[in-house]
Amino acid sequence: MRGKPTVYDLQSAKGRRKWLQLHVDSGEEAAAAVEAGIVILSCEPDHSLEPIRAAAPTAFVSAGMPHGLVSSPQEAIREGFKILKRGADAVYCSHSPFFIEAMAREGIPVTGHVGLVPNWATWTNFRAVGRSADEALKVLRKAKDLENAGCACVEVEVVPVELADHITRNTHMITMGMGCGNACDTQYLFSRDVLGTNTGHYPRHAGKYADFAALERELQTKRVEALKAFAADVASGSYPEPKHEVHMSAEALEGFLIKADRL
């Protein structure tokens, strides 16, 4: 595939390719992801969006619309286009289909969300959603509602593998699976979990492949050691040394002092 994938490319490959997906927090992480072969990225629509876009020009980037940012379909359309203009290829939206349909009608690719949706967790708690037959049916209905509203993609988070598989096989949307086994179209994790920088609750479904938090702690120790050494050298007079200084020639100094006395 040449260039970055489009919605058409993703949907054309549905059922024939498993995509890797990563939520990234910086341009450096985005560049590393693409180098590792991960071309579907998600991110927040904050100051990091432009650096992520610049660092990963060949990636499909879905940027989130903050929950509660909009209160009408018209606002949703306006904010959606703003996010696309800043470089995103799709707009993640956990609002209702009422808002999603408005954006989709205007050609804005929208990523919806079912299962464990953090912004709706007061209704479910943070747990696997859809383990009973009745609850699984509710998740399926929500997925169908998003599909009917025009979603291009849908995050499927922490639902039983059987349910994720059923949704994936019965929708044209790209299913972005997190905590759903290997059932969805993408295998999706957060960089902070993969890289080990997550300082909060570590999700059961996440895989940790590095300990950047330990590296950061080690780096901070090195920072403190260097600054203490600098302070000690200043206190002892060993810094600055003559090689760190710039001096006037004797002639220039004499001329300066004569002129300075006339001020």
Side-chain angles (χ1 to χ4, degrees):
M1 182 181 300
R2 297 179 179 177
K4 66 181 178 182
T6 63
V7 170
Y8 176 84
D9 293 326
L10 297 179
Q11 293 185 344
S12 295
K14 186 175 175 66
R16 296 185 293 106
R17 176 170 178 177
K18 180 73 64 176
W19 302 85
L20 293 173
Q21 181 176 359
L22 195 70
H23 186 287
V24 296
D25 296 313
S26 68
E28 291 81 4
E29 289 183 356
V34 172
E35 189 171 346
I38 302 172
V39 295
I40 299 182
L41 305 178
S42 60
C43 68
E44 301 302 322
D46 55 16
H47 63 279
S48 65
L49 175 53
E50 284 81 2
I52 288 169
R53 176 77 284 167
T58 60
F60 182 91
V61 178
S62 179
M65 177 182 289
H67 196 72
L69 177 67
V70 297
S71 58
S72 71
Q74 291 73 27
E75 289 181 355
I77 294 169
R78 182 171 58 251
E79 293 298 327
F81 276 124
K82 283 182 181 179
I83 291 173
L84 294 185
K85 187 175 182 180
R86 293 178 59 201
D89 300 296
V91 177
Y92 166 86
C93 182
S94 58
H95 292 73
S96 73
F98 181 62
F99 296 89
I100 291 170
E101 184 176 11
M103 287 190 284
R105 283 180 176 174
E106 298 304 319
I108 299 172
V110 182
T111 299
H113 199 162
V114 297
L116 173 54
V117 184
N119 291 321
W120 293 84
T122 190
W123 298 99
T124 61
N125 286 336
F126 286 89
R127 60 175 178 84
V129 179
R131 298 181 71 176
S132 71
D134 287 343
E135 192 171 62
L137 190 59
K138 289 180 181 179
V139 175
L140 177 61
R141 284 172 176 162
K142 287 183 178 180
K144 287 297 183 182
D145 287 344
L146 293 176
E147 180 181 61
N148 292 335
C151 271
C153 312
V154 59
E155 286 190 26
V156 183
E157 184 170 352
V158 193
V159 306
V161 174
E162 297 83 0
L163 174 57
D165 181 68
H166 183 89
I167 293 172
T168 300
R169 292 177 182 276
N170 290 278
T171 182
H172 67 267
M173 296 183 291
I174 295 299
T175 57
M176 298 172 163
M178 184 180 293
C180 304
N182 199 38
C184 295
D185 296 310
T186 81
Q187 190 61 256
Y188 180 22
L189 282 178
F190 277 67
S191 62
R192 66 188 67 134
D193 294 326
V194 175
L195 299 178
T197 58
N198 185 356
T199 58
H201 172 69
Y202 201 82
R204 174 182 175 180
H205 60 266
K208 183 176 179 179
Y209 295 89
D211 194 353
F212 273 63
L215 293 175
E216 180 60 32
R217 289 192 296 272
E218 182 179 347
L219 181 58
Q220 183 67 2
T221 298
K222 295 295 184 183
R223 289 190 185 104
V224 173
E225 290 175 354
L227 295 176
K228 283 184 175 179
F230 164 61
D233 280 357
V234 172
S236 68
S238 59
Y239 179 87
E241 300 176 42
K243 67 180 181 181
H244 300 125
E245 300 172 346
V246 176
H247 293 274
M248 299 170 69
S249 67
E251 182 181 357
L253 178 59
E254 181 181 3
F256 165 72
L257 292 175
I258 291 173
K259 293 178 179 179
D261 286 342
R262 295 172 182 171
L263 293 178

